[in-house]
Amino acid sequence: ADTNLKYPFISIGLRALQCILVSRRDKGAKRAAVEEIRRRAHSDGEWPPTIMFPEGTTTNRRCLVTFKAGAFVPGAPVQPVALRYRCDGFDPSWVTDGPGLKTLMFLLLTQWWGELEMTYLPIVTPTEEEKQDPERYAVRVRSEVGRYLRIPYTEHTVEDMLLQLNAKKAGLPPSVGVVEFAKMQKKLGLTLDSATKFLRDFSSMVKARRDGKVTLDDFCNYLNVVPTNEVKELFEAYDASGDDLLDFREYIVGMTLITAPKLNEGILREAFNLFNPDSGGTVERESFRAIVRGAMVGRGFSVDESDAVADRVVNDVDLDRDGMITYNEFATCIKSKPQYANLLSMTFADSEKQEGDDFSTAL
């Protein structure tokens, strides 16, 4: 990765070896790197064979993670090389929840000796189908290496490692970020940027638990709501395991499949009109608060509880604190915590069954 250029001695070596540098977050840079790999692979001897580390990251040596397809896009034969480190009493793995790079370098220098076994496996030539499908080609090469090393392989990728780093920075256990990103990208269309945004929101929910999971109380506190039936129903829909706790993977799936489809202009406009029956462009702060408070009292909550929720909601929505709430402020608030869209959608369904209940959301 191009981030390694910040290390003086390493950067000199990278340039001397004519490495193909790539930014993990820049899609354009990734495409350029793939094209450079293709150009060198089909240079008719102008370039020597290119060494690739297809996992794109380091692991604890107990498994092989997903091989990135970029190394296999040229559709050229590859020479797999299996690496096996033999270190007694010292684990040289550079992983998220292990020692940092400086500590690892120090420990390596204090060893009397270190052994690295390199085994050149038989050359793998792609089939015509694999030339058209680099991911399939990558899977076959990985299976050859895994079979030799006698270790399993998983669907984790370098993106899982980046999410681990972000989880650690947010004060969460690094394991929270391990979600098998490649599988979720394929099935849900997840991007690293959206996963990182989800992780920031998720970390805002986690409070007392050290395992990095979210309780119903955490969920309610994050949304500034009380545990009404709608909130409980939404939490249970997210909680696929049924253990009354949300992990980060469940949160991603819930946000993608349950919440995102509800976050549309029609629902937001209809919801704003619940507070704005005269179809004006703004709603007075106190009118908005009175509707929220009345809905809470009507659902059996105490006056104190209703006042507290109404105050929190109004403070969230009135962004410029001018005493008037516009549709843009309302929509911005909802989009900042998209779960509100689910609760509002439940409101519409409930209001069709209950005449006279003009606002029955959990707010």
Side-chain angles (χ1 to χ4, degrees):
D2 59 356
T3 53
N4 291 318
L5 291 175
K6 66 183 180 181
Y7 303 110
F9 294 107
I10 294 178
S11 66
I12 293 173
L14 292 176
R15 296 187 188 282
L17 293 172
Q18 297 179 307
C19 293
I20 301 173
L21 301 175
V22 60
S23 171
R24 286 170 172 158
R25 293 185 178 274
D26 185 343
K27 293 181 180 179
K30 291 181 180 179
R31 285 193 293 269
V34 170
E35 288 306 313
E36 180 63 15
I37 293 170
R38 192 198 305 272
R39 187 181 72 83
R40 293 189 186 188
H42 297 293
S43 64
D44 295 326
E46 180 182 345
W47 283 89
T50 302
I51 299 175
M52 301 288 296
F53 293 86
E55 289 179 298
T57 187
T58 53
T59 69
N60 60 10
R61 303 175 294 146
R62 297 172 186 170
C63 68
L64 291 175
V65 299
T66 301
F67 278 19
K68 291 290 188 179
F72 305 93
V73 166
V78 298
Q79 170 90 71
V81 179
L83 304 179
R84 182 180 279 126
Y85 294 86
R86 301 183 184 278
C87 300
D88 294 333
F90 167 62
D91 185 352
S93 303
W94 186 16
V95 292
T96 306
D97 56 352
L101 180 60
K102 292 181 180 179
T103 302
L104 280 175
M105 293 296 293
F106 173 76
L107 292 173
L108 281 169
L109 292 173
T110 59
Q111 305 301 304
W112 287 108
W113 59 277
E115 180 180 340
L116 169 61
E117 177 186 291
M118 300 176 59
T119 303
Y120 289 81
L121 304 180
I123 292 175
V124 178
T125 302
T127 64
E128 289 302 318
E129 291 80 6
E130 289 171 339
K131 288 180 181 179
Q132 302 302 320
D133 188 352
E135 290 186 1
R136 178 185 294 186
Y137 189 16
V139 168
R140 182 157 75 97
V141 174
R142 183 179 66 165
S143 67
E144 294 293 332
V145 178
R147 186 178 300 113
Y148 174 79
L149 293 175
R150 296 183 180 180
I151 57 177
Y153 23 88
T154 73
E155 297 305 315
H156 299 106
T157 64
V158 65
E159 285 81 6
D160 287 290
M161 182 273 291
L162 294 174
L163 290 173
Q164 279 187 295
L165 289 174
N166 286 329
K168 189 174 183 179
K169 290 177 182 177
L172 300 175
S175 58
V176 167
V178 181
V179 295
E180 290 191 314
F181 182 87
K183 185 181 294 184
M184 303 192 82
Q185 183 181 46
K186 185 179 297 184
K187 292 185 176 181
L188 303 177
L190 184 70
T191 65
L192 181 58
D193 287 341
S194 60
T196 303
K197 169 65 167 60
F198 290 156
L199 182 60
R200 284 198 298 268
D201 295 341
F202 185 79
S203 66
S204 298
M205 293 188 200
V206 179
K207 297 300 181 184
R209 295 184 62 86
R210 295 183 178 180
D211 58 2
K213 294 186 178 182
V214 171
T215 65
L216 176 60
D217 287 341
D218 294 333
F219 193 68
C220 291
N221 290 334
Y222 172 72
L223 295 176
N224 280 336
V225 298
V226 291
T228 62
N229 291 334
E230 288 87 354
V231 176
K232 292 177 181 177
E233 182 181 338
L234 180 59
F235 184 84
E236 290 170 1
Y238 273 49
D239 180 20
S241 63
D243 61 355
D244 297 327
L245 295 170
L246 289 185
D247 60 35
F248 182 47
R249 185 188 179 91
E250 289 174 325
Y251 182 72
I252 290 177
V253 174
M255 285 290 293
T256 305
L257 298 183
I258 299 172
T259 295
K262 299 294 184 183
L263 198 62
N264 62 67
E265 187 73 10
I267 286 179
L268 295 182
R269 284 287 180 186
E270 191 170 354
F272 186 67
N273 289 338
L274 291 173
F275 298 93
N276 187 31
D278 297 331
S279 299
T282 59
V283 181
E284 291 185 1
R285 178 185 176 99
E286 286 306 311
S287 297
F288 194 100
R289 182 185 182 282
I291 294 174
V292 175
R293 182 182 182 281
M296 297 302 301
V297 173
R299 284 183 165 268
F301 290 94
S302 70
V303 172
D304 289 342
E305 287 176 320
S306 302
D307 283 336
V309 171
D311 288 337
R312 290 199 301 267
V313 172
V314 170
N315 285 332
D316 281 348
V317 178
D318 187 12
L319 299 178
D320 58 10
R321 301 293 190 270
D322 66 349
M324 301 298 291
I325 297 169
T326 66
Y327 170 74
N328 287 338
E329 287 179 310
F330 179 79
T332 299
C333 175
I334 297 295
K335 291 176 181 178
S336 70
K337 295 181 179 179
Q339 293 84 2
Y340 286 150
N342 291 104
L343 302 178
L344 291 169
S345 179
M346 293 174 187
T347 295
F348 303 148
D350 191 49
S351 62
E352 290 178 357
K353 300 176 183 178
Q354 299 180 20
E355 288 189 21
D357 186 6
D358 54 3
F359 182 67
S360 57
T361 185
L363 298 181

